[in-house]
Amino acid sequence: MIIGGVLGVIVDIIVFVIILLLLYALSMVWPPDSPWAPWWQMPKDVIRKMYRMVGLQSSDTVYELGCGIADGMVIANKEFGAQAIGIEIDPLRIMLAKFNILKNKAKVTLIKDNFFNINLSGATVLIIYLVPKALGRLSPKFFKELKKGTRIVSYKYTFPPEIRSKKLQLVKEDKKNEIYFYKIN
Ligand SMILES: C[S@@+](CC[C@H](N)C(=O)[O-])C[C@H]1O[C@@H](n2cnc3c(N)ncnc32)[C@H](O)[C@@H]1O
């Protein structure tokens, strides 16, 4: 009876692990800006390069739109002393982000919401890893809410060409690391 119970628990754990592995495999082929793509993350050394490129300082307030598990926010606060505000829609990633922030004893404000609902006017720097379609959809919000001089640093993707204008200037790019630095004029 006892052995049967223990075996049952072992089988449950194995099934649980298999489900997790299947979800992981599935998430690899999901679009990067979907709430079910947890494993599309900016590498930490690239995050540091992104912040160095925009000259992040302790006087800055960084917003990350879709902060995932908040590595970018932890680095902004712990290594650059900046105020960090991460917005994330996915409850699972919010949970992992909370754990990450706690583990690193970082000071990060986490907002569990759709970033379209959040006013971004407090940002001096935005860090983003979102597909061009999402960047295009966000642009009117950026032009409406972001202050002149706000730096936007994007990983992997550039703004669609029709969005680029005098108001959104590409300041610098690092094609090798796929980093694009824009400024609101
Ligand atoms: C490509 S991942 C990048 C995650 C994180 N920036 C990183 O590099 O580790 C995109 C993130 O945006 C989040 N996301 C997508 N649409 C969102 C929305 N409308 N509001 C808030 N978060 C969103 C996803 O849940 C995902 O965590």
Side-chain angles (χ1 to χ4, degrees):
M1 205 48 195
I2 290 175
I3 290 180
V6 170
L7 264 182
V9 170
I10 291 172
V11 169
D12 284 350
I13 291 173
I14 290 172
V15 170
F16 181 68
V17 169
I18 289 172
I19 290 173
L20 280 186
L21 288 175
L22 284 174
L23 281 175
Y24 176 82
L26 197 61
S27 73
M28 306 284 258
V29 291
W30 229 253
D33 67 333
S34 120
W36 287 104
W39 311 115
W40 293 87
Q41 286 177 254
M42 297 181 277
K44 286 185 187 173
D45 60 321
V46 174
I47 295 172
R48 293 184 180 101
K49 285 191 175 101
M50 292 167 88
Y51 287 148
R52 280 199 287 271
M53 189 186 276
V54 301
L56 188 68
Q57 293 179 353
S58 56
S59 52
D60 278 309
T61 301
V62 190
Y63 279 53
E64 183 166 3
L65 307 191
C67 67
I69 65 163
D71 280 343
M73 296 289 82
V74 168
I75 292 173
N77 176 253
K78 291 292 285 187
E79 299 182 24
F80 294 81
Q83 197 183 337
I85 299 176
I87 308 163
E88 176 54 57
I89 200 167
D90 173 24
L92 175 64
R93 265 171 281 196
I94 282 278
M95 217 168 71
L96 296 173
K98 280 184 185 163
F99 178 72
N100 193 14
I101 292 162
L102 214 68
K103 188 183 80 183
N104 286 287
K105 298 188 177 79
K107 269 196 196 152
V108 174
T109 303
L110 269 187
I111 302 175
K112 190 196 153 305
D113 206 335
N114 185 328
F115 44 59
F116 283 97
N117 297 336
I118 303 300
N119 186 296
L120 306 172
S121 58
T124 57
V125 172
L126 285 191
I127 182 166
I128 39 185
Y129 175 16
L130 295 168
V131 290
K133 203 171 133 202
L135 296 179
R137 285 182 56 219
L138 277 163
S139 302
K141 181 172 172 64
F142 289 171
F143 293 140
K144 195 169 155 214
E145 295 175 5
L146 295 178
K147 291 186 294 277
K148 203 170 167 234
T150 304
R151 291 105 86 203
I152 302 175
V153 63
S154 173
Y155 177 60
K156 206 167 248 180
Y157 299 111
T158 54
F159 281 85
E162 67 274 15
I163 303 294
R164 278 173 241 162
S165 65
K166 278 190 181 158
K167 268 191 101 178
L168 183 76
Q169 172 205 356
L170 178 67
V171 179
K172 212 171 179 183
E173 60 188 332
D174 169 353
K175 283 196 171 145
K176 185 169 157 259
N177 290 295
E178 301 179 281
I179 303 174
Y180 304 94
F181 168 18
Y182 295 86
K183 206 175 227 176
I184 299 283
N185 286 322

